[in-house]
Amino acid sequence: MPNTVLIGAQWGDEGKGKVVDVLARDADVVVRYQGGSNAGHTLEIGSERFVLHLVPSGVLYPEKLCIIGNGVVVDPLELKSEIEALMARGISLEGRFWVSDRAHAVLPYHRRQDAAREQRARPGQRLGTTQRGIGPAYADKAHRTGLRMGEFCRPGWEAKVQMRAEESGCIDGAEMVATLREAAAFLAPFIGDTTARLHEEWRRGRTILFEGAQGTMLDVDHGTYPFVTSSNATAGGASTGTGLPPRAIERVVGVIKCYTTRVGEGPFPTELKDETGDLLRRRGREFGATTGRPRRCGWFDAVVARYAAAVNGVDYWALTKLDVLDECETIRVCVAYECDGRRLDRVPADAETLARCQPVYEEFPGWKTCTSGVRQYEDLPRPARAYVDVLCRLTGVPLGLLSVGPDRASTFRLAI
Ligand code: IMP
């Protein structure tokens, strides 16, 4: 397998965890490069269900090297409990899991700042964050006042943490040190120079899978700003977030659902606030893996998908959740927008303009057959295959993988 970046092509929750799990089989190293515990990657393996927030999804294969890169913001308390939960289920991380010493820590006051900002926000300015402290942690990084994991686990970290807490004005320094003490000791053996380690693996010709979190439309630069997360969820982030150069990346796989969802606030042109939206939510089990919030649901937006294909340089789609559409009589796909009397073929940069965009739909026949038990692509009903072809044609990206259910057996690997 070529070194592959896997990104979300919509607003997150495209099913990346499951696709990483499939591709990780052929990789030697799986590395997360951005985001933090705002992510929630759900994996179903046999009768077992795992939700991972920080640890790369490749961890479920016993022999893979798993890395949290420098671009991730790491909540030490969350990471400790995630590792413990994995260990309790018999999954060992010893000797094969590393956290970058350059990754920034999410400290308890970041969570408080995140929640306080959301509470204070005026109508229309609320972002609907996951309240995991992501924005404030990245803000401290950009402000050059953040604490990196390398420092955090060296002697003397207590004084630094105490100073940060006092500067934040929202938490007692001694209390924060006490809260973090156990996590610091627990995580210390996992922290190291992952940039050097990744370069070594690359030089040795080992296959690297870059696991993106969130999605293109939540990217801080390319998404629906300000209704975005605070990191580069697009393929470019894979380089800055790991220290491997762009030429280490040989292929980009875009994970995309056969319809669209979004959690939190912000424009969403194809959103369905009717019973079809409810049907997608129910059939797709569209409730946040991190916050439990119901996801907003809508039709596939080919304008967004084309934009994601361009920004990330997507080589193949991994198309997920086709089975969710099984009960639909007809299926709509947004092929363009109409805004202020003009037709738009591209996603506008401005969120206010996007909020005024009306979708221009094309309609396709549904298949009204259960596809979740199908085990070969060729056995899918003809209209289902025709729908998949339409999505690929409208976006100019070939199909690499298709899934019709949550487990490993419902995934067809076609070209990747
Ligand atoms: P934050 O990343 O917690 O600051 O949240 C910013 C926005 O990104 C909110 O709309 C969240 O709902 C959204 N978001 C963050 N992480 C995820 C994710 O993993 N899936 C879907 N949406 C997310």
Side-chain angles (χ1 to χ4, degrees):
M1 185 174 91
N3 292 337
T4 300
V5 181
L6 201 123
I7 56 94
Q10 294 159 319
W11 277 278
D13 307 316
E14 298 91 352
K16 291 179 293 297
K18 178 208 162 93
V19 181
V20 179
D21 176 58
V22 171
L23 296 189
R25 210 178 304 163
D26 301 335
D28 301 302
V29 184
V30 185
V31 55
R32 273 274 311 261
Y33 60 87
Q34 47 72 230
S37 55
N38 49 349
H41 290 170
T42 309
L43 296 148
E44 289 187 24
I45 293 157
S47 58
E48 288 216 78
R49 192 160 184 265
F50 296 84
V51 182
L52 299 169
H53 298 284
L54 275 163
V55 176
S57 307
V59 75
L60 302 184
Y61 290 96
E63 74 284 13
K64 307 291 172 196
L65 178 62
C66 291
I67 288 178
I68 292 184
N70 58 277
V72 176
V73 285
V74 180
D75 182 328
L77 302 174
E78 282 266 351
L79 183 57
K80 175 174 175 281
S81 51
E82 201 166 309
I83 295 173
E84 284 173 338
L86 285 166
M87 282 165 35
R89 292 169 85 168
I91 296 164
S92 163
L93 286 85
E94 228 157 282
R96 64 179 188 105
F97 172 65
W98 302 101
V99 180
S100 170
D101 48 8
R102 294 174 173 89
H104 279 246
V106 179
L107 299 172
Y109 72 82
H110 289 133
R111 279 187 179 240
R112 291 197 188 183
Q113 288 172 337
D114 196 354
R117 190 210 168 273
E118 286 286 273
Q119 265 163 19
R120 268 200 322 267
R122 294 205 202 100
Q125 291 186 337
R126 241 189 99 235
L127 301 177
T129 74
T130 60
Q131 308 214 358
R132 294 295 189 275
I134 304 300
Y138 277 115
D140 266 0
K141 173 176 171 175
H143 247 145
R144 292 149 297 179
T145 51
L147 201 78
R148 307 212 289 186
M149 291 303 285
E151 289 178 275
F152 177 61
C153 292
R154 271 202 303 270
W157 64 269
E158 293 93 337
K160 290 181 181 171
V161 163
Q162 189 137 6
M163 193 178 75
R164 294 275 175 279
E166 274 147 26
E167 277 170 7
S168 79
C170 66
I171 195 166
D172 176 71
E175 180 195 326
M176 195 160 92
V177 168
T179 312
L180 291 167
R181 193 176 295 285
E182 258 183 54
F186 181 87
L187 295 177
F190 295 110
I191 293 171
D193 185 346
T194 57
T195 306
R197 182 67 196 258
L198 283 165
H199 273 262
E200 195 185 310
E201 298 294 326
W202 182 40
R203 235 186 347 262
R204 290 168 59 201
R206 309 263 260 145
T207 302
I208 301 164
L209 180 61
F210 301 79
E211 174 179 341
Q214 289 84 46
T216 302
M217 301 308 283
L218 289 173
D219 182 285
V220 67
D221 285 285
H222 304 290
T224 48
Y225 190 90
F227 302 99
V228 292
T229 190
S230 303
S231 63
N232 284 117
T234 45
S239 177
T240 54
T242 58
L244 283 167
R247 70 190 166 85
I249 299 165
E250 296 161 331
R251 184 174 71 171
V252 178
V253 171
V255 187
I256 194 156
K257 263 194 292 221
C258 292
Y259 52 97
T260 314
T261 62
R262 167 162 212 173
V263 206
E265 305 299 320
F268 178 3
T270 61
E271 181 170 14
L272 293 166
K273 292 182 175 164
D274 57 9
E275 64 277 12
T276 309
D278 294 339
L279 175 83
L280 297 177
R281 190 173 307 107
R282 178 173 52 77
R283 284 195 53 89
R285 294 194 275 166
E286 296 294 356
F287 296 88
T290 300
T291 58
R293 291 180 288 178
R295 296 178 185 143
R296 299 157 66 192
C297 297
W299 295 121
F300 188 89
D301 186 336
V303 185
V304 162
R306 275 198 301 266
Y307 175 67
V311 169
N312 295 288
V314 175
D315 294 302
Y316 290 100
W317 288 134
L319 199 53
T320 61
K321 292 192 146 182
L322 182 71
D323 57 305
V324 173
L325 301 175
D326 284 353
E327 286 178 20
C328 297
E329 196 76 49
T330 52
I331 300 167
R332 293 177 141 196
V333 174
C334 168
V335 293
Y337 302 139
E338 225 168 65
C339 187
D340 305 331
R342 283 192 12 244
R343 188 180 161 107
L344 284 185
D345 294 309
R346 298 207 185 133
V347 178
D350 172 41
E352 282 176 33
T353 311
L354 186 63
R356 289 202 307 282
C357 284
Q358 293 300 319
V360 177
Y361 284 122
E362 280 183 18
E363 213 164 82
F364 302 91
W367 42 92
K368 303 282 279 175
T369 316
C370 175
T371 59
S372 57
V374 174
R375 290 291 170 265
Q376 285 196 54
Y377 181 73
E378 296 71 30
D379 295 338
L380 284 171
R382 193 181 290 270
R385 274 181 291 146
Y387 177 67
V388 169
D389 288 345
V390 161
L391 303 190
C392 292
R393 179 174 51 75
L394 286 172
T395 52
V397 175
L399 183 65
L401 177 153
L402 178 77
S403 85
V404 292
D407 55 356
R408 281 177 180 169
S410 326
T411 305
F412 318 129
R413 294 183 72 168
L414 298 151
I416 58 173

